[in-house]
Amino acid sequence: FAVKAADIFGASAKNPVSLQVLEDIPAGKVGKFPLKKGTAARIMTGAPLPRRADTVVMVEETESTRDGVLIHRTHPLGTHVAPAGEDIKKGELVLRAGNTIGAAAMGMIAAMGRSKVKVAIKPKVRIVSTGSEILQPGKTWKPGHIFDANGYSLAGLAAQWGADARFLGIAPDRKGALERKIARAADVDLLILSGGVSVGDYDLVQDILVDAGFKRIFYKVSIKPGKPVFAGNQGKRFVLGLPGHPVSCMVTFLLFAGLMIDTMLGKENIGPRRGQAFLASRIRMKPDRRKFFRGMLRETDGRLAVTPFHAQESSVLKSMVNANVLIDSPEWATELKAGSLVDIIYL
């Protein structure tokens, strides 16, 4: 019941206040009569208050009579009332550019009566696996060959990141084959190639990209896994050449391609989510490159603890399946001690 708080002051089970009920106000309707002293309106959840009403009493705290309603309890002014502007005030910024529209934001946009908002176009990302030893999954295995993992993991990562991702297939280590694949990605925002970016006789990717008109931004990074990374651009068209080892390929996607896609999407926060956790067991290493160790993050005794996997080789893709974080170790470190606080990157 919609009432005036002053009318029900002092009401109790032993001393109820009697009010005349002027009308029923269901949700979606507006009351016809303003409340006068000693009156109330039966009101449903979601309906607007009638004029001069300032408080709502739940039906469980009332008793119907022939002439109206008995109120059995005093309520302070504004009880069970959602004031106008409680959720959003006039002129308030609700969603900032660069935010991802998730479920709550979708509801908020709809609650404001908006049917359309401006969003970023999904960047076109195309992926090519390179190497004459690479076989498409489902084909008959041959000695000296391996099934392609990178094309699928990269396409999956790019799609997760919000890109329009497509795998263009495998290019063997032949100049013409690589050139044709690159030509198929003439209208993309980001071309990602895995393998062929090292310094072997059959590592042709970097030279072919430069010949195709891409300007080199950098080549090689001081990290492990993932040293042989090539980045280039041709105007607003970008290319990344990533290592062929499956773990190196995924890690360098997270560190470089993820940031590029986030930037193309206009996100406020770019790159994978980072945090800190306590190290469950010691890690020893050479002080040369910045290292990223795969690990399993768990909550133990009320705190986050990360356990590094024993197998950290770049070819052990199973560790990426089981890992949920990377442990980010600085290049000068020779040891990360058990119990120390370490930086982590969430997968």
Side-chain angles (χ1 to χ4, degrees), residues 128-134 148 169-173 178 193-197 205 242 244:
V128 176
S129 294
T130 75
S132 297
E133 78 282 14
I134 306 298
D148 179 34
I170 300 166
D173 294 321
L178 282 164
L193 302 102
S194 70
V197 288
V205 168
L242 304 182

PDB file of all heavy atoms in Angstrom, residues 128-134 148 169-173 178 193-197 205 242 244:
ATOM      1  N   VAL A 128      48.031 -18.404 -40.698  1.00  0.00           N
ATOM      2  CA  VAL A 128      48.643 -19.361 -41.613  1.00  0.00           C
ATOM      3  C   VAL A 128      49.692 -20.154 -40.853  1.00  0.00           C
ATOM      4  O   VAL A 128      50.532 -19.559 -40.157  1.00  0.00           O
ATOM      5  CB  VAL A 128      49.301 -18.660 -42.819  1.00  0.00           C
ATOM      6  CG1 VAL A 128      50.028 -19.673 -43.706  1.00  0.00           C
ATOM      7  CG2 VAL A 128      48.267 -17.877 -43.627  1.00  0.00           C
ATOM      8  N   SER A 129      49.646 -21.469 -40.938  1.00  0.00           N
ATOM      9  CA  SER A 129      50.719 -22.322 -40.414  1.00  0.00           C
ATOM     10  C   SER A 129      51.705 -22.589 -41.543  1.00  0.00           C
ATOM     11  O   SER A 129      51.299 -22.881 -42.669  1.00  0.00           O
ATOM     12  CB  SER A 129      50.157 -23.647 -39.898  1.00  0.00           C
ATOM     13  OG  SER A 129      49.325 -23.440 -38.780  1.00  0.00           O
ATOM     14  N   THR A 130      53.004 -22.487 -41.248  1.00  0.00           N
ATOM     15  CA  THR A 130      54.004 -22.733 -42.287  1.00  0.00           C
ATOM     16  C   THR A 130      54.859 -23.937 -41.926  1.00  0.00           C
ATOM     17  O   THR A 130      55.052 -24.249 -40.758  1.00  0.00           O
ATOM     18  CB  THR A 130      54.920 -21.508 -42.488  1.00  0.00           C
ATOM     19  OG1 THR A 130      55.839 -21.418 -41.400  1.00  0.00           O
ATOM     20  CG2 THR A 130      54.110 -20.221 -42.589  1.00  0.00           C
ATOM     21  N   GLY A 131      55.364 -24.595 -42.959  1.00  0.00           N
ATOM     22  CA  GLY A 131      56.263 -25.734 -42.747  1.00  0.00           C
ATOM     23  C   GLY A 131      55.879 -26.918 -43.605  1.00  0.00           C
ATOM     24  O   GLY A 131      54.710 -27.341 -43.611  1.00  0.00           O
ATOM     25  N   SER A 132      56.858 -27.452 -44.343  1.00  0.00           N
ATOM     26  CA  SER A 132      56.599 -28.613 -45.200  1.00  0.00           C
ATOM     27  C   SER A 132      56.358 -29.880 -44.378  1.00  0.00           C
ATOM     28  O   SER A 132      55.861 -30.874 -44.908  1.00  0.00           O
ATOM     29  CB  SER A 132      57.784 -28.828 -46.150  1.00  0.00           C
ATOM     30  OG  SER A 132      57.919 -27.712 -47.021  1.00  0.00           O
ATOM     31  N   GLU A 133      56.706 -29.839 -43.111  1.00  0.00           N
ATOM     32  CA  GLU A 133      56.509 -31.015 -42.251  1.00  0.00           C
ATOM     33  C   GLU A 133      55.135 -31.037 -41.597  1.00  0.00           C
ATOM     34  O   GLU A 133      54.791 -32.001 -40.893  1.00  0.00           O
ATOM     35  CB  GLU A 133      57.596 -31.053 -41.162  1.00  0.00           C
ATOM     36  CG  GLU A 133      57.389 -30.112 -39.981  1.00  0.00           C
ATOM     37  CD  GLU A 133      57.748 -28.649 -40.271  1.00  0.00           C
ATOM     38  OE1 GLU A 133      57.916 -28.286 -41.449  1.00  0.00           O
ATOM     39  OE2 GLU A 133      57.837 -27.870 -39.304  1.00  0.00           O
ATOM     40  N   ILE A 134      54.330 -30.002 -41.826  1.00  0.00           N
ATOM     41  CA  ILE A 134      53.051 -29.874 -41.130  1.00  0.00           C
ATOM     42  C   ILE A 134      51.948 -30.574 -41.926  1.00  0.00           C
ATOM     43  O   ILE A 134      51.812 -30.387 -43.128  1.00  0.00           O
ATOM     44  CB  ILE A 134      52.684 -28.391 -40.935  1.00  0.00           C
ATOM     45  CG1 ILE A 134      53.816 -27.626 -40.238  1.00  0.00           C
ATOM     46  CG2 ILE A 134      51.401 -28.255 -40.154  1.00  0.00           C
ATOM     47  CD1 ILE A 134      54.127 -28.119 -38.863  1.00  0.00           C
ATOM     48  N   ASP A 148      49.278 -30.281 -37.504  1.00  0.00           N
ATOM     49  CA  ASP A 148      49.243 -28.846 -37.203  1.00  0.00           C
ATOM     50  C   ASP A 148      48.442 -28.587 -35.943  1.00  0.00           C
ATOM     51  O   ASP A 148      47.267 -28.948 -35.854  1.00  0.00           O
ATOM     52  CB  ASP A 148      48.632 -28.086 -38.374  1.00  0.00           C
ATOM     53  CG  ASP A 148      48.555 -26.591 -38.107  1.00  0.00           C
ATOM     54  OD1 ASP A 148      49.468 -26.082 -37.434  1.00  0.00           O
ATOM     55  OD2 ASP A 148      47.601 -25.945 -38.563  1.00  0.00           O
ATOM     56  N   GLY A 169      44.933 -22.088 -43.488  1.00  0.00           N
ATOM     57  CA  GLY A 169      45.544 -23.369 -43.837  1.00  0.00           C
ATOM     58  C   GLY A 169      47.062 -23.358 -43.716  1.00  0.00           C
ATOM     59  O   GLY A 169      47.664 -22.458 -43.136  1.00  0.00           O
ATOM     60  N   ILE A 170      47.666 -24.390 -44.298  1.00  0.00           N
ATOM     61  CA  ILE A 170      49.109 -24.648 -44.164  1.00  0.00           C
ATOM     62  C   ILE A 170      49.824 -24.241 -45.449  1.00  0.00           C
ATOM     63  O   ILE A 170      49.368 -24.545 -46.551  1.00  0.00           O
ATOM     64  CB  ILE A 170      49.356 -26.144 -43.875  1.00  0.00           C
ATOM     65  CG1 ILE A 170      48.648 -26.553 -42.578  1.00  0.00           C
ATOM     66  CG2 ILE A 170      50.847 -26.445 -43.803  1.00  0.00           C
ATOM     67  CD1 ILE A 170      48.538 -28.050 -42.389  1.00  0.00           C
ATOM     68  N   ALA A 171      50.964 -23.568 -45.295  1.00  0.00           N
ATOM     69  CA  ALA A 171      51.827 -23.226 -46.434  1.00  0.00           C
ATOM     70  C   ALA A 171      53.145 -23.968 -46.282  1.00  0.00           C
ATOM     71  O   ALA A 171      53.843 -23.785 -45.271  1.00  0.00           O
ATOM     72  CB  ALA A 171      52.074 -21.729 -46.488  1.00  0.00           C
ATOM     73  N   PRO A 172      53.527 -24.821 -47.227  1.00  0.00           N
ATOM     74  CA  PRO A 172      54.827 -25.491 -47.150  1.00  0.00           C
ATOM     75  C   PRO A 172      55.961 -24.482 -47.341  1.00  0.00           C
ATOM     76  O   PRO A 172      55.733 -23.332 -47.739  1.00  0.00           O
ATOM     77  CB  PRO A 172      54.769 -26.502 -48.299  1.00  0.00           C
ATOM     78  CG  PRO A 172      53.748 -25.966 -49.235  1.00  0.00           C
ATOM     79  CD  PRO A 172      52.756 -25.213 -48.408  1.00  0.00           C
ATOM     80  N   ASP A 173      57.191 -24.923 -47.043  1.00  0.00           N
ATOM     81  CA  ASP A 173      58.353 -24.039 -47.120  1.00  0.00           C
ATOM     82  C   ASP A 173      58.785 -23.815 -48.565  1.00  0.00           C
ATOM     83  O   ASP A 173      59.896 -24.169 -48.980  1.00  0.00           O
ATOM     84  CB  ASP A 173      59.513 -24.626 -46.301  1.00  0.00           C
ATOM     85  CG  ASP A 173      59.192 -24.651 -44.812  1.00  0.00           C
ATOM     86  OD1 ASP A 173      58.584 -23.692 -44.325  1.00  0.00           O
ATOM     87  OD2 ASP A 173      59.543 -25.648 -44.146  1.00  0.00           O
ATOM     88  N   LEU A 178      53.972 -19.659 -49.907  1.00  0.00           N
ATOM     89  CA  LEU A 178      53.841 -18.635 -48.874  1.00  0.00           C
ATOM     90  C   LEU A 178      53.295 -17.332 -49.445  1.00  0.00           C
ATOM     91  O   LEU A 178      52.440 -16.669 -48.832  1.00  0.00           O
ATOM     92  CB  LEU A 178      55.192 -18.387 -48.211  1.00  0.00           C
ATOM     93  CG  LEU A 178      55.630 -19.432 -47.178  1.00  0.00           C
ATOM     94  CD1 LEU A 178      57.118 -19.318 -46.892  1.00  0.00           C
ATOM     95  CD2 LEU A 178      54.830 -19.264 -45.888  1.00  0.00           C
ATOM     96  N   LEU A 193      51.433 -15.619 -38.811  1.00  0.00           N
ATOM     97  CA  LEU A 193      52.026 -16.832 -39.360  1.00  0.00           C
ATOM     98  C   LEU A 193      52.807 -17.526 -38.257  1.00  0.00           C
ATOM     99  O   LEU A 193      53.493 -16.872 -37.456  1.00  0.00           O
ATOM    100  CB  LEU A 193      52.963 -16.512 -40.529  1.00  0.00           C
ATOM    101  CG  LEU A 193      52.338 -15.765 -41.702  1.00  0.00           C
ATOM    102  CD1 LEU A 193      52.712 -14.293 -41.647  1.00  0.00           C
ATOM    103  CD2 LEU A 193      52.760 -16.364 -43.029  1.00  0.00           C
ATOM    104  N   SER A 194      52.707 -18.827 -38.191  1.00  0.00           N
ATOM    105  CA  SER A 194      53.486 -19.583 -37.208  1.00  0.00           C
ATOM    106  C   SER A 194      54.553 -20.382 -37.935  1.00  0.00           C
ATOM    107  O   SER A 194      54.292 -21.002 -38.968  1.00  0.00           O
ATOM    108  CB  SER A 194      52.593 -20.510 -36.393  1.00  0.00           C
ATOM    109  OG  SER A 194      52.103 -21.570 -37.187  1.00  0.00           O
ATOM    110  N   GLY A 195      55.783 -20.371 -37.382  1.00  0.00           N
ATOM    111  CA  GLY A 195      56.900 -21.104 -37.969  1.00  0.00           C
ATOM    112  C   GLY A 195      57.577 -20.314 -39.069  1.00  0.00           C
ATOM    113  O   GLY A 195      57.038 -19.346 -39.605  1.00  0.00           O
ATOM    114  N   GLY A 196      58.807 -20.733 -39.387  1.00  0.00           N
ATOM    115  CA  GLY A 196      59.521 -20.130 -40.506  1.00  0.00           C
ATOM    116  C   GLY A 196      60.108 -18.772 -40.244  1.00  0.00           C
ATOM    117  O   GLY A 196      60.486 -18.073 -41.187  1.00  0.00           O
ATOM    118  N   VAL A 197      60.202 -18.339 -38.964  1.00  0.00           N
ATOM    119  CA  VAL A 197      60.732 -17.004 -38.679  1.00  0.00           C
ATOM    120  C   VAL A 197      62.091 -17.057 -37.985  1.00  0.00           C
ATOM    121  O   VAL A 197      62.600 -16.045 -37.531  1.00  0.00           O
ATOM    122  CB  VAL A 197      59.747 -16.179 -37.801  1.00  0.00           C
ATOM    123  CG1 VAL A 197      58.543 -15.770 -38.601  1.00  0.00           C
ATOM    124  CG2 VAL A 197      59.342 -16.935 -36.551  1.00  0.00           C
ATOM    125  N   VAL A 205      59.878 -16.900 -44.022  1.00  0.00           N
ATOM    126  CA  VAL A 205      58.761 -15.979 -43.768  1.00  0.00           C
ATOM    127  C   VAL A 205      59.194 -14.523 -43.753  1.00  0.00           C
ATOM    128  O   VAL A 205      58.596 -13.663 -44.409  1.00  0.00           O
ATOM    129  CB  VAL A 205      58.052 -16.351 -42.455  1.00  0.00           C
ATOM    130  CG1 VAL A 205      57.089 -15.249 -42.031  1.00  0.00           C
ATOM    131  CG2 VAL A 205      57.293 -17.664 -42.622  1.00  0.00           C
ATOM    132  N   LEU A 242      55.217 -15.759 -35.725  1.00  0.00           N
ATOM    133  CA  LEU A 242      55.431 -16.357 -34.402  1.00  0.00           C
ATOM    134  C   LEU A 242      56.216 -17.664 -34.521  1.00  0.00           C
ATOM    135  O   LEU A 242      56.232 -18.297 -35.581  1.00  0.00           O
ATOM    136  CB  LEU A 242      54.078 -16.616 -33.718  1.00  0.00           C
ATOM    137  CG  LEU A 242      53.152 -15.409 -33.569  1.00  0.00           C
ATOM    138  CD1 LEU A 242      51.886 -15.813 -32.823  1.00  0.00           C
ATOM    139  CD2 LEU A 242      53.855 -14.259 -32.857  1.00  0.00           C
ATOM    140  N   GLY A 244      57.429 -21.619 -34.250  1.00  0.00           N
ATOM    141  CA  GLY A 244      56.701 -22.825 -34.623  1.00  0.00           C
ATOM    142  C   GLY A 244      56.381 -23.752 -33.468  1.00  0.00           C
ATOM    143  O   GLY A 244      55.413 -24.510 -33.532  1.00  0.00           O
TER     144      GLY A 244
END
